[in-house]
Amino acid sequence: MSLTALHRSTAGLLVVGLLISWLPSFGQLLAEKTAYTHGDTLRGTMTPERTWWDLAHYHLQVRVSPDDSLFSGQNTIRYRVLKASQTMQIDLQAPMKLVRAEQDGQPLAVRSDGNAHFITLLKPQRLGHTEAITIVYQGKPRVARNAPWDGGVSWARDSTKSWFIATSCQGLGASVWWPCKDHMYDEPDSMQISVTVPEPYMDVSNGQLRRVTTNADHTRTYDWAVTNPINNYGVNVNIAKYVTWHETYQGEAGPLLLSYYALPQNEAAARQQFQQAKSMLKVFEHWFGPYPFYKDGYKLVQVPYLGMEHQSSVTYGNKFRNGYLGRDLSRTGWGLRWDFIIVHESGHEWFANNITYKDIADMWIHESFTAYSENLYTEALFGKNAGAQYVIGTRVGIRNDRPIIGNYNVNSEGSGDMYYKGANMLHMIRQWVGNDEKWRQILRGMNKTFYHQTVTSQQIESYLIKQTGLPLKPLFDQYLRDARVPVLEYKLTPEGVAYRFANCQKGFTTAIRLCLNDAGPRRLVTPSTTWQTLIQPNSKEVSVDADYYVLTKMVSM
């Protein structure tokens, strides 16, 4: 997910209609006064020591020693030289230790500045050449305090007292457990992950399992190959005494290998619940295009926390129950008809893993579209009205505390409203488009246009404006960059209804559908911040169609 913001949002559900006008301004004030550290800047900025080289490949080799809570190993980084430079930034968070760095067998000097490590290269870095550097590391990585929201490594035990271990690190950063270029703008073209664990444990990571090697010291090494670009936080390690089964799904791009991993004591429940993966794939391929990682397959992996969207290795801990741990986040009943973690986390394969934000400030690109996918899944199974009821129902969790887009270059995500406020914004755009097939092709085209790319909010906004042919910029500025919910003020006049938007940015405008009188006519209008009049004599009641996320207020003449 990042479930981080969603967890905070659902912890105290608020009814949107009861929000008072000062709350957004207070939230914005808090955001503006957030104090960022030098470390935040090093983590969140595309520094000169990062931008001169382009990631080509990681080979991560890690040995996990559960009894000592120890990770040790090395990462060999292959990269292309974009600009001559001799200093490289590699990230690794304390208490992990960078033991040494070397290139072509030669040790390199390392200067550490908090969690950023600056390596001085000896050989000339020539433009256009591909080079490699090896980082050796070890330590006891941060223990996850409340995975996946406050991540790290989860050291758990299953019901048989066997180890049950998993990593989760969005927001916190992959460098919490392995050395890497820990910024989202750059992804390796491919990756090899080699994980050594004690017998009889199994490791499940990303991509396809190439080989298992039994070692003389009673350990096994699992070699996984990722043949597609992968974001850092999508890389994971999951260790347990798993049972596994496989099947083939005939998808849009051909046969897709589906693999499932569960604890032996949960196998029966997992086999039943994980069947939902096939209906998920059918729906999402229809709406978003082919699953983006056919060569790497699709996996569902049981873990000791709620779940996360690790690329081609979706993790699951929803207790084999429908809903979100048995709850319906929409309070409509529709959210109990399917498993939230299977649907939401798998939706991220399209929005997070295929299309990835460059800066976490634009995390809405991941979460708004994926939260919206829950609506489309509900619609596909139970009808268009059910899907609309679901997404409208999720407004109960919107807080309107601060803008959805965070602060750039400091590893700062925006409000948790990026989930369901963002989903409702997309639902509104669909109404404005007014053509479901056109809207479907726009979503499919987005995954094709930005296939395996890292992007900015501006790129996504510009794409939607161009493809819809609609003036969406004021809507994006209002719903992504301002915490306030627009209020449609209206007056009843002898001629009809006068209306305008208030509690919004200057110049805000968007299309909405007005409902006049009980069971009366519905009119599509495009209010702005100046008064307009809809000629409709004898209008006595006015409301806005529930598909549009705006509030209403009658004002005196």
Side-chain angles (χ1 to χ4, degrees), residues 34-50 89 91 113 115-116 118 182-183 185 359 407-412:
T34 299
Y36 295 104
T37 67
H38 174 61
D40 293 328
T41 300
L42 289 177
R43 170 82 169 85
T45 302
M46 293 185 288
T47 61
E49 293 82 7
R50 283 171 165 161
Q89 178 180 340
D91 305 286
D113 186 350
N115 296 325
F118 297 92
D182 205 1
H183 194 290
Y185 85 98
D359 190 301
N407 295 315
Y408 292 99
N409 299 318
V410 286
N411 197 48
S412 169

Side-chain angles (χ1 to χ4, degrees), residues 438-454:
K438 179 178 180 179
W439 181 237
R440 184 173 80 94
Q441 293 303 328
I442 288 171
L443 295 176
R444 289 173 63 90
M446 181 184 299
N447 276 277
K448 184 176 181 180
T449 299
F450 302 109
Y451 183 71
H452 290 175
Q453 293 183 34
T454 59

Side-chain angles (χ1 to χ4, degrees), residues 41-42 49 105 113 161 177 199-200 208-209 211 260 265 269 306 322 355 368 372 392 399 401 429 506 533:
T41 300
L42 289 177
E49 293 82 7
D113 186 350
K161 306 302 181 183
W177 66 273
E199 293 180 327
Q208 300 278 15
L209 182 61
R211 70 187 65 83
Y260 308 102
Q265 55 270 41
L306 187 58
N322 282 351
I355 303 174
S368 297
Y372 179 64
I392 292 167
R399 297 176 301 168
D401 57 342
I429 295 174
K506 182 179 180 181
T533 299

